[in-house]
Amino acid sequence: MTSIKTLLGATALLALAAPALAQEVNLYSSRHYDSDDALYTAFTEATGITINRIEAKADELIARMEAEGTNSPADVFMTVDVGRIARAEEKGLLQPFTSEVIETNVPAHLRHPDNLWTGLSQRARIIFYASDRVENPPQTYEALADPKWKGKICIRSSSNVYNQSLLASLIEADGEAAARDWAAGIVANMARAPQGGDTDQLRGIVSGECDIAVANTYYYVRGLAGEVDGLTSGIDGIGFVWPNQSGRGAHVNLAAAGIAANAPNKAEATALLEYLVSEEAQAQFANANNEYPVVAGVPIGEHVAQLGIFIPDTQTPTASFKEHAVTAQTIFNTVGWD
Ligand code: FE2
């Protein structure tokens, strides 16, 4: 067999021996929208860095990174809820990034305090109601627990991380005892045992099973924008409330990403995060799922804009969702929120 030495000149051998510029980044992501493909292609065209995507549910990706240990090829871990990226953080699967671009573009309350992750888009969880059956809808999350809404509210299971983060924010804002009373009040007010996803809570308003529902705004916007079975046909009958507008603001969660603890391509990983929080990428990233950008001044999508301007809760640090996750779970179990 001809040896490689006889085929290559000395210069080529030198090049082979030198560490190759990786020019690739391995993205472990629980987010997938077709329109993200164009964003990733644009990144590769601009930087020459190829993105290798591994897509699965967040908890599966976390288990995979744990199993791979120090040999993990993961560079960037992306998820669609702070509660989930916090699990990766808790297991020591992330390392801090150093980036002036991210620190300049992303407000501090939308980033981890030690830069273990940055938000990429904002998703608000708000109150919806049947406009023909509810005259004075609740104006705060706290008001959802008022006994006058007994048998009226649809909200999904407590096993869902969106509700875990919402309850964590109530623990942070109101204290544990008040949050427990609140959760008990919600259970007492449920129109039915929790079932389905956020779209199903909104469908419950259309079908008449629920007068009030809690859901992330993008599920409603999907109904506005296109044909969502059982929702679009009745979307005109659904009103919405931006909660806590005269207080701390509406609960906001984040799609977020951080750099894996053992990232083999840390520089490329940083470049990808910086690209995703660039003005250029932000509108597209947020619009892919009818969410809100994390960078100020970036225009929001046409359908999202129909929800108007709102005050987000910037007082409750998103990082506190992790701090209260265990307490939130205990409360859900105590009050019997399935
Ligand atoms: Fe969702």
Side-chain angles (χ1 to χ4, degrees):
M1 193 183 192
T2 315
S3 90
I4 196 165
K5 273 186 185 170
T6 61
L7 292 176
L8 298 169
T11 314
L13 267 181
L14 206 65
L16 272 183
L21 280 177
Q23 295 297 300
E24 64 175 8
V25 61
N26 300 315
L27 171 62
Y28 280 35
S29 174
S30 64
R31 169 180 154 122
H32 178 74
Y33 300 110
D34 289 342
S35 55
D36 285 347
D37 294 351
L39 205 58
Y40 296 140
T41 302
F43 171 76
T44 301
E45 280 170 4
T47 62
I49 301 167
T50 306
I51 302 176
N52 305 314
R53 272 185 287 168
I54 309 289
E55 286 169 354
K57 289 184 175 166
D59 288 338
E60 290 168 17
L61 293 170
I62 288 171
R64 182 169 170 159
M65 284 193 285
E66 275 191 292
E68 290 167 343
T70 53
N71 294 321
S72 176
D75 290 310
V76 172
F77 176 58
M78 184 188 293
T79 180
V80 292
D81 185 285
V82 168
R84 285 239 160 71
I85 204 153
R87 287 179 200 167
E89 176 198 338
E90 197 129 84
K91 291 169 184 287
L93 297 171
L94 301 175
Q95 62 172 307
F97 55 76
T98 311
S99 166
E100 255 179 56
V101 173
I102 300 172
E103 292 196 16
T104 304
N105 288 13
V106 182
H109 72 277
L110 301 178
R111 277 187 278 122
H112 184 273
D114 300 321
N115 283 339
L116 284 171
W117 47 258
T118 177
L120 298 175
S121 59
Q122 305 188 69
R123 29 190 42 222
R125 192 156 185 74
I126 71 168
I127 297 167
F128 295 90
Y129 64 96
S131 42
D132 62 342
R133 302 191 293 279
V134 179
E135 211 170 305
N136 295 303
Q139 298 295 312
T140 62
Y141 300 103
E142 285 80 354
L144 288 166
D146 189 310
K148 75 177 174 188
W149 303 117
K150 191 169 175 53
K152 304 289 186 198
I153 296 178
C154 284
I155 186 165
R156 71 199 288 182
S157 159
S158 69
S159 65
N160 170 255
V161 73
Y162 303 156
N163 283 340
Q164 293 165 12
S165 293
L166 175 62
L167 181 55
S169 78
L170 280 148
I171 295 169
E172 176 73 14
D174 301 335
E176 186 178 336
R180 187 175 49 244
D181 290 348
W182 177 82
I186 298 295
V187 171
N189 287 347
M190 283 179 183
R192 61 185 184 194
Q195 59 183 71
D198 279 8
T199 306
D200 297 304
Q201 315 314 311
L202 296 171
R203 286 181 176 128
I205 294 179
V206 176
S207 69
E209 210 176 340
C210 337
D211 280 0
I212 293 168
V214 175
N216 288 355
T217 52
Y218 55 85
Y219 292 99
Y220 170 78
V221 176
R222 282 178 199 163
L224 272 181
E227 283 302 312
V228 179
D229 278 353
L231 176 57
T232 297
S233 57
I235 202 86
D236 291 344
I238 301 180
F240 59 86
V241 171
W242 286 104
N244 299 67
Q245 294 300 280
S246 47
R248 65 183 181 274
H251 173 70
V252 167
N253 212 318
L254 302 168
I259 298 183
N262 300 299
N265 306 298
K266 189 175 177 187
E268 290 80 358
T270 307
L272 178 57
L273 294 186
E274 289 181 344
Y275 174 74
L276 291 172
V277 300
S278 68
E279 274 192 37
E280 171 198 358
Q282 271 287 292
Q284 200 174 331
F285 190 90
N287 284 340
N289 188 35
N290 298 305
E291 293 176 68
Y292 295 86
V294 290
V295 176
V298 171
I300 56 174
E302 167 200 350
H303 297 292
V304 181
Q306 291 181 44
L307 273 69
I309 305 289
F310 70 103
I311 299 165
D313 178 359
T314 55
Q315 295 169 32
T316 310
T318 43
S320 70
F321 302 173
K322 165 180 161 269
E323 197 182 317
H324 300 307
V326 172
T327 309
Q329 199 52 62
T330 305
I331 290 176
F332 281 133
N333 294 344
T334 305
V335 303
W337 185 325
D338 289 344

